[in-house]
Amino acid sequence: DGSYGFRALRLIEGERMYHGSLFCTLAQDGRIANLTQGILPYEKYKDFDVISEQEAYEQLCSGKFRFPSEEFSKNKLSIKVSGVTLTYENDTKGFCQPVYAFQTEINKKAVSLRIPAISR
């Protein structure tokens, strides 16, 4: 229909990572009518040691995670873990940090819980 989208999801090329989306719309004559460029390059800062998936799971079990919502009482949680992936998220300074994202069900509601992966 003349609309196109491209995604770079943590695309690593050498020491650089690209992440984001680019969308464009073509006019009837084939020229670009609209372009939204949102693919950001990230430069490697330095190497860090990361904790293991098991260590991250142990932190999750001991309640050391960023709680996603005030919706749940932290005292009465039933957490069921269905999967985990090592991914990245931006910190408050704009750096991309590795985190373990646990796919969970808390009190029968799907919730992603994140554990920082950098070893402290």
Side-chain angles (χ1 to χ4, degrees), residues 51-102:
I51 62 174
S52 69
E53 194 175 284
Q54 179 64 36
E55 289 171 294
Y57 179 73
E58 289 168 7
Q59 287 184 29
L60 180 79
C61 290
S62 63
K64 296 177 184 171
F65 54 86
R66 290 179 241 157
F67 208 60
S69 170
E70 298 297 324
E71 180 180 338
F72 303 105
S73 166
K74 207 168 185 182
N75 298 327
K76 298 178 182 180
L77 292 180
S78 170
I79 301 175
K80 180 180 176 182
V81 176
S82 60
V84 62
T85 55
L86 181 62
T87 188
Y88 295 88
E89 65 182 28
N90 288 343
D91 66 11
T92 58
K93 296 179 182 172
F95 289 100
C96 212
Q97 302 270 343
V99 295
Y100 284 102
F102 286 88

Side-chain angles (χ1 to χ4, degrees), residues 96-116:
C96 212
Q97 302 270 343
V99 295
Y100 284 102
F102 286 88
Q103 292 77 49
T104 69
E105 190 177 279
I106 300 178
N107 299 344
K108 302 191 182 206
K109 182 175 180 181
V111 178
S112 178
L113 296 177
R114 310 224 179 228
I115 303 288

